[in-house]
Amino acid sequence: MSTDAIEALIRTYFTKVAAMNPDGWLDHFAEDAISHDPVGQPPTKVHEGFQDFFAQLQGMFKQLESTIDHIFVAGNEAAVKWKMQGLSKSGKTVTFEGITVFEVNKAGKIQSTRAYWNPADMIAQLKQS
């Protein structure tokens, strides 16, 4: 897969997350894809765990916006520095950021993700009064 194709796949991935579009997001993954989000937590099988992931997003946020600072592609992998800003259902604005490493298979689907970020920082922002 070309560097341009991998970058386009990743940009669309983040667009679908921000749009809270589970079906569009899932189309980017291989059937046996694994996600480590965040790294340090037990990995999930994407096609089995995606509904919970999007239910959490939709339950917490009224709006999400993603920004990609940079995509570094090497072979069939890419490391992405990203930032998300969200407006919670209770009206709080939160910002969280991290780095996600993507592995893309020969069919052009995401095979695995390893997300380095701290959900506790986001949760603390949501709890601030």
Side-chain angles (χ1 to χ4, degrees):
M1 217 172 153
S2 73
T3 296
D4 289 343
I6 290 172
E7 287 183 6
L9 175 70
I10 289 167
R11 289 185 190 287
T12 305
Y13 164 96
F14 281 99
T15 299
K16 300 295 182 183
V17 170
M20 293 183 264
N21 177 343
D23 294 326
W25 178 82
L26 191 61
D27 288 342
H28 292 80
F29 285 92
E31 283 295 320
D32 58 347
I34 299 292
S35 177
H36 301 262
D37 191 353
V39 168
Q41 295 297 313
T44 59
K45 294 179 180 179
V46 173
H47 283 268
E48 293 175 13
F50 83 98
Q51 292 170 331
D52 292 338
F53 171 70
F54 276 94
Q56 288 176 355
L57 286 180
Q58 293 166 339
M60 281 191 283
F61 294 105
K62 190 184 308 187
Q63 180 182 345
L64 277 175
E65 189 176 313
S66 64
T67 304
I68 296 173
D69 294 336
H70 200 82
I71 301 172
F72 302 90
V73 177
N76 69 326
E77 295 189 34
V80 181
K81 172 69 176 84
W82 53 265
K83 180 171 27 176
M84 297 289 278
Q85 292 183 299
L87 178 62
S88 75
K89 297 253 177 151
S90 63
K92 293 183 183 194
T93 302
V94 298
T95 301
F96 49 103
E97 57 189 326
I99 295 171
T100 301
V101 177
F102 294 84
E103 179 187 2
V104 179
N105 67 21
K106 290 180 182 180
K109 300 285 187 174
I110 298 168
Q111 189 64 53
S112 68
T113 63
R114 297 184 61 81
Y116 297 85
W117 69 292
N118 187 352
D121 290 343
M122 177 192 65
I123 292 166
Q125 290 177 57
L126 289 169
K127 290 182 178 180
Q128 288 177 352
S129 44

